[in-house]
Amino acid sequence: MNDCIFCKIANGIIPSKKFYEDENMVIIADINPQATKHYLLIPKEHYANIIEMTDEQAIVLGKCLKKLSTLVDELGLQDGFRIVSNKGENGCQSVGHLHVHILGGEKLSDRMA
Ligand code: AMP
Ligand code: ZN
């Protein structure tokens, strides 16, 4: 999508520090971190959110999440982490390209929000 900032980041049109990249996704640092470690897992393919995701995109997203199991050391998430994907107004989604927040590096609140 032409005017989507996460399409531009995921496809290298806007430069960013990528902690991980493969054919399906990138992992970058969130510009406004809410925890000591706060990454965004961004699929390269544009779709808005979990509700709009196709079955094929769901399979790719599952593979992306599974990949995290090999990245915990280099991301500094050995002691655990939380993954969150906001959807829509009540979820406070601000960027309309599906992304998964990965939060860790400290003991997080036992409340979700
Ligand atoms: P959400 O509110 O769930 O849609 O999350 C969007 C996230 O993207 C927010 O946490 C922002 O801080 C983050 N963000 C927006 N623009 C950038 C950017 N250029 N680089 C890194 N993170 C960004
Ligand atoms: Zn996009």
Side-chain angles (χ1 to χ4, degrees):
M1 210 187 228
N2 282 344
D3 59 352
C4 171
I5 187 166
F6 282 0
C7 278
K8 289 178 180 163
I9 289 174
N11 294 293
I13 296 162
I14 294 177
S16 66
K17 176 169 166 45
K18 296 188 175 99
F19 288 84
Y20 177 77
E21 178 170 18
D22 65 20
E23 70 276 22
N24 295 317
M25 63 146 161
V26 297
I27 295 177
I28 63 167
D30 195 293
I31 203 170
N32 182 23
Q34 304 298 309
T36 305
K37 303 283 185 184
H38 185 173
Y39 305 98
L40 298 173
L41 184 164
I42 306 175
K44 288 188 173 175
E45 197 176 347
H46 180 96
Y47 53 101
N49 55 55
I50 295 272
I51 304 299
E52 292 192 8
M53 180 170 65
T54 65
D55 288 351
E56 291 73 21
Q57 288 164 340
I59 290 167
V60 171
L61 183 62
K63 285 182 184 166
C64 293
L65 293 173
K66 174 64 187 159
K67 190 76 196 174
L68 281 177
S69 64
T70 68
L71 300 172
V72 286
D73 285 346
E74 65 187 271
L75 296 179
L77 300 171
Q78 301 90 335
D79 295 331
F81 56 89
R82 177 175 295 160
I83 58 176
V84 175
S85 189
N86 296 322
K87 195 275 173 195
E89 190 176 345
N90 278 8
C92 295
Q93 182 177 10
S94 63
V95 177
H97 176 132
L98 182 128
H99 51 282
V100 178
H101 297 263
I102 307 164
L103 301 142
E106 64 180 295
K107 177 89 171 173
L108 300 170
S109 165
D110 61 1
R111 284 176 52 86
M112 283 292 169

